[in-house]
Amino acid sequence: MSSKDDLQFHDSGGQEDVMFDRSGGQLHTFTSFPHSAVDMDDEEEEGGDKSQLLKEGEKKSLSFWTFEYYQQFFDVETREVFHRIAGSMMPIPNRNYLQQKIRPNPDLYGPFWICMTLVFTTAIAGNLANYLSAGGKDYQWRYDFHKVTFAASAIFTYWWIIPAIMYGLLWWRKSQAGFTFLEILCVYGYSLAIYIPISILWVINVAWFKWSLVVVGACLSGGVLVITFWPALKDDTKKIALVIVSLIFVLHLALAAGFVLYFFHVPPPVSPAVTNTTNTAVPLSSTGKPFAVDMPNMKPQESNRPLAEKPQASNLQADKPGTKEKDVEIKLKGNADKPEKDKKLEQTDNNNARGTNVDSRSKMTQTEN
Amino acid sequence: MSDVEFHEQGELNDISLEGEITVPGVPSNKDEFSTLDEPVKDTIMRDLKAVGVKFWHVLYPKTSTALLREWDLWGPLILCVFMAMMLQGDTLDQMHDGGPQFAEVFVIYWVGAVVVTLNTKLLGGNISFFQSVCVLGYCVCPLSIALIICRCILIAKVQTTVLFIIRFVAVVVGFGWSTFASTAFLAESQPPNRKVLAMYPIFLFYFVISWLIISHTHS
């Protein structure tokens, strides 16, 4: 230790350096710590519970440029994160989510990873919904990676801009509740947690189900948001308070609706050229899977119906030789009634295969009948 | 500080001040000759061998410290370039392929590894930045093998459901293997009440890469 005094060494910055004085060169003495210098309203304030840690010098106002400044936002445990996620989905009128769960230790771990997870589940589920609506066979479908970038922009914008607006609004109305920006960020981040399972359920392509999920999700987490912000607004004039509260709720609902409309939008059926062949296809598709109900006319979708219902298809193939001299779509429809593995060959060899396969099909129907 | 030698005043006149600033913990090779003069083949082979040893450790994960002690980023770079080349969407087609571009896969890989590492460090893990990036990068190796398998399966002209199931199983096995391998290396660096918090981003990272692999169906 005496050599330390002589040489005035001090360890250079790093993780293990938390206990040493940062002002360079002096020995750290645990004298009176200027507790009053730490602003209660300040972002990095961790609250009175940790007063013992404060005395040990760990909680000075850390510089923005040190690593430890950011570490304080990640000071949570597994258990706490789970409790916070659960609390964000259950609006209980008497219990303020912020007071109970978030204070005194708002964190950024939960919100950040919830947003990242939501970005990827939305993009993946959106691609999956698209894939299933294209008939389940990927010979014409390509996945869209760029849904990820769009989802990321939308979600992170929502997570940062809306709390900024809220903080500004509360500051403008001189709200006495003392919400810090970090706490608002934290609450908003956790409120997105409910959309993660919902985004997976949105793959099921039933319109009323999707919209009811939107409403349920928005009500639950929007409810928690409203209950959280109400104490900050109730001192205000009734009109302004109601406007702000409804704004919170409407924006939350709009986010969910935006997801459904952008990522999970199933395009309406097009191509009227196949109408005369869809007459035979409709009875097949109406007995198909439930989430395919909205699209009886989608051409590629019909192609996998007969895989499950081949005996019925072969009965209808008696009609096919009569229509074989029509155009290409009918050939494709004719392909649909055949076994899967022949379909690809047929698409490449147009004329020859059509001729031979129609013959083989008519032979097949004769033998089966 | 243990490597600074203090000499008495008399000694200083006789011997020149010398010493080695060595990093504690790494065995210093006193008789290691300068590598400037060795043939290039030796240099390359030494590095390749180091990379190969690490791949071996990943494929048969035991809690060894070889990956952590001598980290390098060659292996992750090789894997990243390989995967980005295989996974990039085809823009030569008429229909614009919605797959990721080379740069996008590259960015996901490296930015993903950096973000997961930052997360581990912010949660208080005692592992260095590059060690963590190295481990995360090397543990993508099983997923690369799954990608090779998928690509081989995709050579077949006709894609049936059975082939898809085989691809899916290969990717799931690769994903599980990667996650398990990285857990074996990285789990001890976290305090027990935050282990899940540290492991979840790693899980998400490999999940996203697995999704990129399974979604890749070239024409």
Side-chain angles (χ1 to χ4, degrees), chain A residues 3-4 7 9 11 15 67 69-72 74-79 81-82 109 112-114 116-117 120-121 123-125 127-128 131 137-138 140-146 148-149 196 307 340-342 344-345, chain B residues 1 6 87 90 93 95-101 104-105 108 115-116 118-119 121-125 157-161 164 167 192-201 204 207-208 211-212 215-219:
Chain A
S3 62
K4 261 188 100 136
L7 299 172
F9 281 148
D11 289 335
Q15 293 272 358
F67 192 69
Y69 176 81
Y70 300 101
Q71 249 184 336
Q72 64 193 339
F74 283 74
D75 191 16
V76 275
E77 303 182 359
T78 311
R79 229 176 0 96
V81 172
F82 283 136
Y109 172 90
F112 179 74
W113 286 108
I114 287 172
M116 289 297 289
T117 309
F120 286 111
T121 54
I124 293 175
N127 272 310
L128 196 58
Y131 178 76
K137 290 295 166 266
D138 58 351
Q140 286 286 355
W141 178 84
R142 293 174 195 269
Y143 84 116
D144 187 8
F145 173 75
H146 298 100
V148 173
T149 45
I196 294 176
L307 288 178
E340 169 70 24
K341 59 177 164 50
D342 296 333
K344 283 246 192 270
L345 295 172
Chain B
M1 282 186 49
F6 291 105
L87 284 177
D90 205 358
D93 276 15
M95 196 185 337
H96 177 70
D97 191 356
Q101 302 298 316
E104 286 170 339
V105 178
I108 282 189
V115 166
V116 172
L118 276 180
N119 175 73
K121 286 185 72 65
L122 284 170
L123 282 175
K157 271 205 186 44
V158 175
Q159 292 298 314
T160 66
T161 314
F164 173 74
R167 278 197 297 134
N193 57 350
R194 294 184 182 181
K195 263 204 188 13
V196 175
L197 295 187
M199 286 299 126
Y200 173 73
L204 187 66
F207 182 77
V208 169
W211 171 64
L212 286 177
S215 300
H216 177 74
T217 54
H218 72 120
S219 59

Side-chain angles (χ1 to χ4, degrees), chain B:
Chain B
M1 282 186 49
S2 59
D3 46 352
V4 176
E5 300 172 285
F6 291 105
H7 296 276
E8 295 302 320
Q9 194 55 34
E11 271 188 309
L12 280 174
N13 296 330
D14 300 336
I15 57 172
S16 53
L17 273 174
E18 62 183 46
E20 277 185 22
I21 301 180
T22 55
V23 179
V26 172
S28 64
N29 247 337
K30 291 276 187 240
D31 52 2
E32 186 178 312
F33 54 88
S34 155
T35 59
L36 272 178
D37 297 330
E38 64 178 8
V40 171
K41 185 165 88 88
D42 283 356
T43 315
I44 294 180
M45 285 313 291
R46 186 173 58 234
D47 284 338
L48 276 181
K49 209 174 288 184
V51 169
V53 161
K54 290 202 190 58
F55 277 133
W56 180 255
H57 278 294
V58 166
L59 290 178
Y60 292 97
K62 316 178 282 287
T63 43
S64 78
T65 53
L67 241 76
L68 291 179
R69 240 196 347 244
E70 297 138 10
W71 57 266
D72 72 86
L73 293 179
W74 281 113
L77 182 67
I78 294 171
L79 286 175
C80 178
V81 168
F82 170 72
M83 286 186 54
M85 280 196 323
M86 301 281 267
L87 284 177
Q88 59 181 337
D90 205 358
T91 49
L92 297 177
D93 276 15
Q94 287 285 38
M95 196 185 337
H96 177 70
D97 191 356
Q101 302 298 316
F102 181 93
E104 286 170 339
V105 178
F106 214 82
V107 161
I108 282 189
Y109 185 101
W110 288 107
V111 171
V114 164
V115 166
V116 172
T117 302
L118 276 180
N119 175 73
T120 309
K121 286 185 72 65
L122 284 170
L123 282 175
N126 58 348
I127 189 172
S128 99
F129 179 81
F130 283 110
Q131 281 173 347
S132 176
V133 172
C134 165
V135 168
L136 286 171
Y138 268 103
C139 288
V140 174
C141 180
L143 279 171
S144 298
I145 296 176
L147 175 61
I148 296 175
I149 295 176
C150 284
R151 199 59 185 226
C152 294
I153 291 180
L154 283 172
I155 291 177
K157 271 205 186 44
V158 175
Q159 292 298 314
T160 66
T161 314
V162 174
L163 288 181
F164 173 74
I165 291 179
I166 298 178
R167 278 197 297 134
F168 186 77
V169 166
V171 171
V172 165
V173 167
F175 166 62
W177 198 346
S178 290
T179 310
F180 174 69
S182 65
T183 312
F185 289 115
L186 291 177
E188 304 95 48
S189 62
Q190 285 290 340
N193 57 350
R194 294 184 182 181
K195 263 204 188 13
V196 175
L197 295 187
M199 286 299 126
Y200 173 73
I202 299 177
F203 168 88
L204 187 66
F205 176 59
Y206 291 131
F207 182 77
V208 169
I209 294 185
S210 315
W211 171 64
L212 286 177
I213 294 176
I214 193 71
S215 300
H216 177 74
T217 54
H218 72 120
S219 59

Side-chain angles (χ1 to χ4, degrees), chain A residues 277-286 296-297 302 305 316 333:
Chain A
T277 58
T278 55
N279 295 333
T280 55
V282 163
L284 291 177
S285 61
S286 61
N297 294 332
E302 300 158 354
R305 290 291 151 265
L316 294 166
K333 180 62 195 77

